[in-house]
Amino acid sequence: METMIDIIDVSKSYGKGLPAVNHANLHVDKGEFVFVVGSSGSGKTTLIKLLMKELDSTSGQMIVSGERLEKMKHRRVAKYRRKLGVVFQDFRLLKDRNVYENVAFAQRVIGRPTRVIRRRVPEVLQEVGLAEKYKSFPDELSGGEQQRVALARALVNRPDILLADEPTGNLDPKTSEEIMKLLEQINERGTTVLVVTHNKEIVNAMKKRVVTMHDGVIVSDEKEGEYHEA
Ligand SMILES: Nc1ncnc2c1ncn2[C@@H]1O[C@H](COP(=O)(O)OP(=O)(O)O)[C@@H](O)[C@H]1O
Ligand SMILES: [Mg+2]
């Protein structure tokens, strides 16, 4: 198996007190689907930010898609982040641009030629089930549709890893289930997926690997796991 994420004895402290991430070890192979669960304040978002290199660890090693994060030079970070697609609870779309432009923007910033963008954006909108809404603006879409746009934007540059921090936190149960099924399909097409969630019902129904955090510590890591209240 090819390694996609290797987190080795990683800690992150913001200041005094308990570290937000405390001697974490996590190994994820290419093509895996992983849920990260745990109560509020357990360190899940900090873990995502470490993976994004939005934060630097206090100690330990992280190797993500073949890159050593703690040694990475500042000028390499933007290029590293192209290997990641990231979605959040609050979608973070550009409100003054339509669906097509929100997705195309992610290609424009890395200099993709227009002819590539014109082919790729409809393709990725099709993958998230939103092909016909390309002209809509974010405030004309439901929450679930907005998250599909955010997913299309995250995927348009074909990242190695999709990171999702509570992607269904603002969605009703039925829409949440649809988005999680979509994440599963994205994973089945080959992208490694790591999803932080509080959605106990869905985690228990999907029978995926479940990593549980509590007070910064990874307290369990189970194949076909369940949501534990740690
Ligand atoms: N920017 C920050 N400055 C100081 N403490 C922080 C900061 N961000 C998070 N924390 C603390 O780190 C711990 C983990 O937070 P977080 O990673 O956001 O947890 P989760 O996403 O699981 O709710 C919490 O105790 C939180 O208060
Ligand atoms: Mg969080």
Side-chain angles (χ1 to χ4, degrees):
M1 273 295 182
E2 197 178 326
T3 297
M4 189 54 82
I5 298 173
D6 217 358
I7 295 176
I8 304 160
D9 200 24
V10 164
S11 297
K12 170 63 190 177
S13 297
Y14 288 104
K16 291 185 183 148
L18 277 178
V21 171
N22 197 347
H23 294 287
N25 288 282
L26 180 66
H27 183 106
V28 178
D29 282 327
K30 184 169 191 246
E32 277 199 272
F33 187 112
V34 184
F35 281 126
V36 178
V37 307
S39 54
S40 182
S42 59
K44 307 180 299 296
T45 294
T46 301
L47 189 70
I48 296 260
K49 287 180 173 174
L50 288 167
L51 288 167
M52 293 168 67
K53 205 164 162 72
E54 195 173 311
L55 291 173
D56 288 320
S57 60
T58 309
S59 62
Q61 286 179 38
M62 297 180 71
I63 303 156
V64 183
S65 189
E67 311 242 18
R68 285 281 294 265
L69 299 198
E70 70 281 357
K71 299 208 161 156
M72 190 179 288
K73 299 270 194 291
H74 259 297
R75 60 184 153 75
R76 293 272 310 135
V77 172
K79 191 141 187 217
Y80 162 68
R81 287 193 184 135
R82 290 188 199 175
K83 295 185 170 195
L84 311 176
V86 191
V87 296
F88 304 93
Q89 179 169 353
D90 58 359
F91 320 133
R92 303 191 188 182
L93 301 176
L94 301 167
K95 293 210 175 295
D96 60 341
R97 296 186 198 210
N98 67 22
V99 166
Y100 182 94
E101 283 303 324
N102 265 278
V103 178
F105 186 76
Q107 297 224 282
R108 296 195 207 288
V109 295
I110 65 164
R112 288 279 187 277
T114 303
R115 102 189 111 73
V116 170
I117 296 173
R118 282 196 189 128
R119 189 174 62 232
R120 177 63 181 151
V121 173
E123 182 178 81
V124 75
L125 285 174
Q126 182 85 40
E127 278 176 39
V128 301
L130 218 56
E132 71 288 2
K133 299 242 171 173
Y134 69 99
K135 282 184 173 166
S136 298
F137 284 82
D139 64 5
E140 297 168 341
L141 300 174
S142 68
E145 288 170 337
Q146 290 185 56
Q147 192 59 292
R148 286 172 193 269
V149 180
L151 277 166
R153 181 182 57 188
L155 294 170
V156 70
N157 295 326
R158 304 181 194 280
D160 289 340
I161 307 172
L162 180 67
L163 301 173
D165 193 353
E166 306 207 21
T168 65
N170 282 332
L171 304 175
D172 62 67
K174 182 170 171 288
T175 309
S176 297
E177 197 182 332
E178 289 166 7
I179 293 293
M180 288 294 193
K181 290 284 173 214
L182 180 55
L183 292 171
E184 189 176 33
Q185 285 169 21
I186 289 162
N187 174 248
E188 283 163 359
R189 291 187 204 114
T191 310
T192 305
V193 174
L194 189 146
V195 187
V196 168
T197 186
H198 276 117
N199 205 314
K200 186 176 174 175
E201 288 69 31
I202 292 176
V203 168
N204 288 344
M206 282 176 70
K207 303 269 182 282
K208 301 290 188 187
R209 180 175 173 188
V210 181
V211 170
T212 304
M213 295 187 73
H214 182 68
D215 288 349
V217 177
I218 293 177
V219 293
S220 70
D221 182 348
E222 300 177 337
K223 280 195 224 180
E224 299 187 30
E226 301 243 315
Y227 193 112
H228 300 291
E229 318 280 352

